[in-house]
């Protein structure tokens, strides 16, 4: 031990060699998403879904992360990230890493997925392969439904290069005047208000005498083969597809905005057309002259060009998941009603709740309740909690935060019902929830019109915490009920993302949330909380203190163990503390779905740290933190990842779990995930990931499948067993 300590004195834990690049780590995460599309163990339509998710993820990556790096380069900033790379070096590394990935994605779709679709009766055809009858039908569709919404835009001295929308799919068309032979250029936008894939009627779907499940073509091919209607009298010489991506990150000077809502609405108008182009996707057949014109007009470098051999914008493949072919999808999972709430059935069936014994509040009074989505029903737990609070005559006030939700959800309806019945309802709406700003403005206005007090967060901070506070009159006393969760109050994503939430009426948590809401809605300089870790107030310090406590236990000859599950691990201070813990002998297991800037397995630095990432049918979104604390087993849950943005620029809350049974359940959930050998990937010290595989004669263990099975079998007050 003394030899190790002596060696550690010479190690600078802030050295860039001990950190992975954030952007390249994210690309490795998206590589794991792509693997789900390539993995033959994944059902066919699910593979199409993951292909679409990979593309959708890349769109956002370019619109935000690449755009920021390009701005830094243009501003001649050379500041290095914790891993030692400048903005220009990061852009070059992204290009080198991403190009082979995109090529692999499209090659696999064209050579494997598309033929496999056809073998199952799903035919995405090329227009040139259609029969005369099929072409005739699509020509009628073109004339009736597509042609009227198309607008060809010429480019010449009297027609400047058109402004093109973000993520738009376009046709670059070269036409020739028959009388002069002069060639001209025009652009035709593929309308996104129409379906991307146009199906043929059943009578035209026969292939080799067999009726198919679906047969059709991409809409851009229909347009391309009917261009004569757009340019009558001209000769169509050639056409080429291209797609562009713009900088879409909003820039709002909040401290200068008199009206934050108005400022964001104005910025949203700029998003589609105002940002600079950061990526251009083209097909290899595009001639040099057309390519150079696009590069020049959009002010691009060669490294911004991505050649796509095949169908552009594979994000739209997500539409095929709607086909009624259950044999080509994951088995249907119906979330289980939490055992202690089964007698309530559905929120829509809430009957008489005037009595003290016939409501969710009486259940919470008995003991804290943990809900685990999507294994357990969101609608029959969290939405039930809000719905009963809205209708309960004893409830006086409801306060909650909303980061991402849907305007047509039962939750929004419950808040409106509560306000219209005279309850005090306050909702903190985060207008800056990226790419949900427009949606949030719509339902925030709806809430405001119904009498809900809507607050648009704090200047300079995003309100990302997931909390609800319900104040209820019970006899002569007031009791506060809380929900503190890891995921958004969104019924749709609650069926897709794994999240946990705590329902409690503990007085200390109620007091803490009261203080936190006062901080969010009024003027408060609250710097300490009874139980909660709150960003940007004290969270980083509290987390590092817990890590140092494990170090102290190890130095005193006891066992130290940390298990932390989150979306991303980026914060340099926390990573350095974890390195210190590893050096002291603390065993550290990290379950990090996405970005991880920590390098595990480095001798004398991180050899006691193991990092896995789990990618499966559900998006791992829950944040759960376990500390052994000399066998006292402390567990925390909350909304914050260990990233500078979560700890410094967002309002976040993490709560301790104090019910011993819930602590044990969460420990067992973590243990199940750590033993996953089907969907888990293990991070190597060089930043690459290796997918776990079962050893010979060892069963294949998917943590998500195991948790579905365990949840289905769960009876009242029964603990999860580890395996």
């Amino acid at each position: 031990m003394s030899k190790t300590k002596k060696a550690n004195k010479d190690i600078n834990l802030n050295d860039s060699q001990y950190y992975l690049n954030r952007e390249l780590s994210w690309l490795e995460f998206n590589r794991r998403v792509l693997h789900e599309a390539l993995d033959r163990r994944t059902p066919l339509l699910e593979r199409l879904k993951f292909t679409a998710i990979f593309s959708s993820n890349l769109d956002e990556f370019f619109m935000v992360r690449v755009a920021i790096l390009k701005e830094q380069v243009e501003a001649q900033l050379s500041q290095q990230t914790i891993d030692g790379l400048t903005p220009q070096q990061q852009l070059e590394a992204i290009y080198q890493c991403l190009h082979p990935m995109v090529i692999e994605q499209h090659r696999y779709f064209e050579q494997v997925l598309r033929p496999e679709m056809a073998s199952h009766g799903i035919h995405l055809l090329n227009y040139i392969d259609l029969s005369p009858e099929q072409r005739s039908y699509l020509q009628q569709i073109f004339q009736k439904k597509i042609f009227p919404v198309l607008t060809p835009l010429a480019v010449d001295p009297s027609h400047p290069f058109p402004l093109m929308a973000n993520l738009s799919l376009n046709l670059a068309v070269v036409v020739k005047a028959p009388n002069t032979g002069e060639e001209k250029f025009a652009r035709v936008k593929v309308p996104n208000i129409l379906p991307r894939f146009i199906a043929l009627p059943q009578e035209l779907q026969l292939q080799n005498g067999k009726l198919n499940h679906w047969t059709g073509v991409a809409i851009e091919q229909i347009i391309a083969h009917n261009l004569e209607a757009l340019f009558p009298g001209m000769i169509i010489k050639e056409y080429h597809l291209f797609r562009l991506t713009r900088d879409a990150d909003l820039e709002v000077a909040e401290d200068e905005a008199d009206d934050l809502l108005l400022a964001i609405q104005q910025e949203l108008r700029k998003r589609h057309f105002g940002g600079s182009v950061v990526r251009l996707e083209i097909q290899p057949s595009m001639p040099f002259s057309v390519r150079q014109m696009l590069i020049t007009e959009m002010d691009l470098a060669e490294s911004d060009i991505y050649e796509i051999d095949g169908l552009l914008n594979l994000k739209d493949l997500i539409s095929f998941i709607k086909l009624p072919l259950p044999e080509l999808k994951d088995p249907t999972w119906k979330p289980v009603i939490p055992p202690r709430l089964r007698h309530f059935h559905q929120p829509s069936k809430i009957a008489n709740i005037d009595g003290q014994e016939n409501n969710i509040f009486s259940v919470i009074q008995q003991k804290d309740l943990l809900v685990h989505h999507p294994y357990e029903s969101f609608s029959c737990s969290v939405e039930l909690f809000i719905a009963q609070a809205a209708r309960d005559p004893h409830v006086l006030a409801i306060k909650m935060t909303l980061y991402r939700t849907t305007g047509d959800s039962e939750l929004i309806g419950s808040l409106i019902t509560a306000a219209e019945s005279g309850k005090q309802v306050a909702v903190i709406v985060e207008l800056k929830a990226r790419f949900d700003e427009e949606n949030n403005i719509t339902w925030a206005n709806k809430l405001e019109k119904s009498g809900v007090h809507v607050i648009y967060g704090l200047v300079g901070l995003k309100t990302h915490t997931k909390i609800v506070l319900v104040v209820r009159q019970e006899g002569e006393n007031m009791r506060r009920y809380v929900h503190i969760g890891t995921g958004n109050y969104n019924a749709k994503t609650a069926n897709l993302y794994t999240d946990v939430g705590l329902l409690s009426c503990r007085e200390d948590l109620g007091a803490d949330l009261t203080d936190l809401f006062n901080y969010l809605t009024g003027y408060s300089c609250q710097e300490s909380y009874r139980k909660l870790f709150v960003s940007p107030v004290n969270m980083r310090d509290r987390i590092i203190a817990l890590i140092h406590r494990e170090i102290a236990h190890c130095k005193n000859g006891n066992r130290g163990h940390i298990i932390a599950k989150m979306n991303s691990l980026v914060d340099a201070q926390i990573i350095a503390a974890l390195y210190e813990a590893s050096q002291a002998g603390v065993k550290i297991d990290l379950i990090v779905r996405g970005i991880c800037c920590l390098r595990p397995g480095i001798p004398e630095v991180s050899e006691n740290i193991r990092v896995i990432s789990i990618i499966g049918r559900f998006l791992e979104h829950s944040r759960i933190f376990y500390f052994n604390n000399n066998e006292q087993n402390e567990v925390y849950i909350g909304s914050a990842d260990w990233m500078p943005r979560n700890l410094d620029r967002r309002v976040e809350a993490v709560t301790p779990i104090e019910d011993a049974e819930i602590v044990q359940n969460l420990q067992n959930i973590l243990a199940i995930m750590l033993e996953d050998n089907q969907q888990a990937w293990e991070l190597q010290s060089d930043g690459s990931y290796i997918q776990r595989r079962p050893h010979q004669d060892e069963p294949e263990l998917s943590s998500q499948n195991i948790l579905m099975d365990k949840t289905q079998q769960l009876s009242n007050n029964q603990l999860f067993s580890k395996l």
Side-chain angles (χ1 to χ4, degrees), residues 505-642:
C505 60
R506 281 167 36 202
E507 181 55 33
D508 47 14
L509 290 182
D512 271 355
L513 284 199
T514 298
D515 290 341
L516 183 51
F517 275 109
N518 288 342
Y519 169 65
L520 290 169
T521 63
Y523 296 108
S524 169
C525 296
Q526 187 83 16
E527 294 185 356
S528 62
Y529 291 84
R530 299 155 190 83
K531 294 291 183 179
L532 294 182
F533 300 177
V534 175
S535 290
V537 180
N538 65 3
M539 190 173 296
R540 181 187 283 108
D541 291 342
R542 296 294 297 272
I543 291 167
I544 291 176
L546 293 176
I547 296 171
H548 285 163
R549 188 179 63 184
E550 294 298 311
I551 294 173
H553 287 315
C554 269
K555 288 182 177 179
N556 290 330
N558 299 310
R559 187 171 77 97
H561 192 191
I562 297 169
I563 308 174
K565 179 182 184 296
M566 66 198 85
N567 295 329
S568 299
L569 172 57
V570 177
D571 190 74
Q573 294 180 53
I574 292 181
I575 292 174
L578 291 171
Y579 286 157
E580 289 180 48
S582 175
Q583 290 175 328
V586 178
K587 180 183 178 183
I588 301 170
D589 290 301
L590 302 175
I591 306 168
V592 185
R593 184 196 78 205
I595 304 166
C596 182
C597 294
L598 177 149
R599 289 185 185 268
I602 301 174
E604 298 187 2
V605 174
S606 57
E607 55 196 330
N608 289 316
I609 303 178
R610 173 176 57 158
V611 183
I612 65 167
S613 171
I614 293 176
I615 306 292
R617 65 181 293 180
F618 301 134
L619 186 71
E620 289 296 337
H621 192 255
S622 56
R623 289 91 167 184
I624 307 171
F625 312 106
Y626 162 82
F627 298 88
N628 178 264
N629 190 25
N630 200 20
E631 311 303 330
Q632 296 301 304
N633 294 332
E634 290 187 4
V635 178
Y636 301 78
I637 66 168
S639 57
D641 292 315
W642 290 354

Side-chain angles (χ1 to χ4, degrees), residues 439-452:
N439 184 47
N440 285 6
I441 288 171
T442 299
W443 55 254
N445 286 332
K446 185 177 179 181
L447 286 172
E448 211 160 25
K449 289 176 183 177
S450 301
V452 175

Side-chain angles (χ1 to χ4, degrees), residues 231-247:
F231 304 97
M234 302 294 284
I235 299 170
I236 309 299
K237 186 177 180 185
E238 56 188 302
Y239 63 85
H240 307 280
L241 278 169
F242 67 95
R243 181 174 184 261
L244 58 95
T245 310
R246 293 186 179 276
D247 176 354

Side-chain angles (χ1 to χ4, degrees), residues 20 29 112 222 230 245 266 272 284 296 386 421 498 666 668 697:
L20 296 168
F29 156 68
V112 179
I222 301 174
L230 291 170
T245 310
Q266 291 171 343
H272 297 299
T296 301
I386 303 297
S421 66
T498 68
L666 288 168
N668 288 334
D697 300 326

